[in-house]
Amino acid sequence: MIKGLGEKTVKLLNQCGIYRAEDLLTYYPYRYEVFNPTDVLTLSGEFIQTVNVLVESEPVVSYIRRNFNTLRFRVSALNKVFQVSIFNRAFMKPHIEVGKKITIIGRYDEKKNTFLASDIKLKAITSLQIKPVYHLVRGLKNANFEKWLQEVMKLPMDLDVKIPFEIEKRYHFISQTEAFGAIHFPKCAEDVKRAKVRFIYEELFEFMFKIMYLKEKETKAIGLPHVISDEKVNDFVLSLPFELTKDQKQALADGLQDLKSEKRMNRLLLGDVGSGKTIVAFILMYANVLSGYQSVLMAPTEILATQHYQSCKKFFDQYPVRIELLVGSMKASEKKKVFSDLSNQEVDIVIGTHALLNDQVVFANLGLVVTDEQHRFGVNQRKNLQNKGYRSDVLYLSATPIPRTYALTIYGDMDTSMIATKPQGRKPVRTLIKKEADVKEILQAIYHEFQLGHQIYVVAPMIEESEMDDLKDVHFLKEKFELAFRDKVNVGVLHGKMKASEKDQVMKSFEKGEIQILISTTVIEVGVDVPNATMIVIFNAERFGLATLHQLRGRVGRNNLQSTCILISNQEVERLKVLEESNDGFYISEKDFELRGQGDLFGVEQSGDMSFKMADLKRDYKILLQAKNDVIDYLKSGDYFQSAYYRDLTNKIDFTN
Ligand code: ADP
Ligand code: MG
């Protein structure tokens, strides 16, 4: 993409998601450093300052120990004379010549009359300079990144035009090329602002375009004629070990009606964690099978897919329904068998992960597509699965309890059913906030649960020892716990870097109760269901957003026992108290939204279509609504046929049937 980049560099860039020259341009700085040269008369110990000085003496290097030296020299500015000291810049010595004008950046120590520099610019900075800082992987340098950007800016490029010209004019946005210049090489703060305004609108416009385009398609979409025996469905519902809640019944009725109607089902089933969405999906999948079609359910992780598969098998144990699993870690031969069984309609229900998107997955007769935790998938992925059927009905499950007004906008293309109340008899999870110093008390609480025959989740934010010592790493905790409980307790470890088969093994042991304490990263966040687990302990709770913590807490409280959630944080974090107060996901999401904006709305890993580079759904909500209106007009006018970018986008998300 850029001439002369080594293979290694290209690899590192790829790690940052940069493959083409254009990608460099949309890799925006995460902050800026401002160098505003000050007058030496205002030297202050309290601020990092940028000062232009004259070198007055030859630098002297002292070697203190290996890899540690200081460079010292005298400078003057406006008749004030002082020392400059900087660590590990011995190599600069020959370049710092007496009489030369340079710029030093750092802090002044009045007592010692010494300027403790953190950086020295041999070419003096004479006027305000704004330097972008990029989040780069190890091995890439900010300065090089800037150089590449400069080169890329000179290349003739066929950039995607994402804001229609009319709109660009109407809002007086700066042009795309100008905006790239302004964001990467700003001359003043105003430049950054102008660029941001454009990019934020651009992201939201594109986002709303996808949604509104889909909505328009949806209202016209014709579904499959499902002829369903209500009696058989009812028989199954009556055979369940529990009675469906009122909301579940309503959601089921909505879904059944969709299946029977001529319109294609395009329904979002929203419900807090543990509200019982899965069973509703299973019943609808069964109803679909009863009318002669195949059903598919796609989940975001193997753990979750496997669990759904197992519980589905259990529910339909006595019913003539053929159920299969399809996940990436299965042997090629096993997958092949599933592929052929699917195409011969020897499978009624298949449950799996992204592996379902494989070209070799061909259904004989797909009637219903269910996507669990839909926010984890992008529109394209969801549609790809849907496209494996002909006019298949579509159901999305989501545990993201987002405020209603936002839901209406960002899920504007779907009908929604909501499960607002949890199954009866569930006790709210008791939530406590503790400090690490309370470790004894916490260990006792864990041991107490263990003695009652219950199981415990422990969540740590990191996988490996990190740069920050106080973050608890899963292996470190395992050792500590084993020591504390003198090996009476079986402790298991689960994290994202393990092989799928290993994860599976650990999860199975935990489900069977062979492991009593499961220490994990947030891989358990979505959907895992082990009713015997009654306690969850979360380290460094301040690192997580409320929505994630609520999801994690949702792993317990899945039976009629009293469950406990212990949030450990050494910092006073006001927002954690929201969790102490409430078990209501919708209330919590409102609060989270108020306190932090969109930040964590969709959990730790943002993916799918909701991950924006610059826009923030809360902060920019007004812009979102504006973009939505603009998109509606744009679609109505049909002008998007003339835009290569949007025509392409519609082709990508268009249904083939
Ligand atoms: P989620 O909405 O988070 O996907 P699940 O579907 O995993 O929730 O349901 C949580 C647990 O509650 C499961 O073990 C499920 O079998 C059980 N469950 C579902 N509906 C009911 C009900 N009406 N009464 C009792 N338990 C139920
Ligand atoms: Mg679920």
Side-chain angles (χ1 to χ4, degrees), residues 312-330:
C312 192
K313 289 273 269 198
K314 230 185 269 165
F315 279 124
F316 291 104
D317 190 24
Q318 304 294 323
Y319 293 80
V321 182
R322 296 159 299 181
I323 306 165
E324 285 300 335
L325 177 72
L326 186 71
V327 294
S329 66
M330 280 163 48

Side-chain angles (χ1 to χ4, degrees), residues 455 490-493 505-506 509-510 512-518:
Q455 287 161 280
N490 284 328
V491 183
V493 161
Q505 200 57 49
V506 172
S509 308
F510 190 65
K512 283 194 211 141
E514 293 161 2
I515 289 174
Q516 290 93 33
I517 299 183
L518 180 63

Side-chain angles (χ1 to χ4, degrees), residues 374-397:
Q374 58 82 32
H375 64 281
R376 297 279 172 140
F377 298 100
V379 166
N380 296 349
Q381 280 174 318
R382 284 168 1 207
K383 295 301 166 199
N384 280 344
L385 185 60
Q386 192 177 334
N387 284 343
K388 290 185 181 286
Y390 172 74
R391 295 185 172 171
S392 313
D393 282 311
V394 181
L395 177 71
Y396 300 115
L397 311 184

Side-chain angles (χ1 to χ4, degrees), residues 242-245 248 271-279 315 423 426 527 529 531 558:
F242 44 74
E243 194 189 337
L244 294 181
T245 63
Q248 283 175 316
D272 206 350
V273 276
S275 59
K277 297 180 292 293
T278 316
I279 189 66
F315 279 124
R426 296 279 164 81
D529 187 30
R558 293 183 160 251

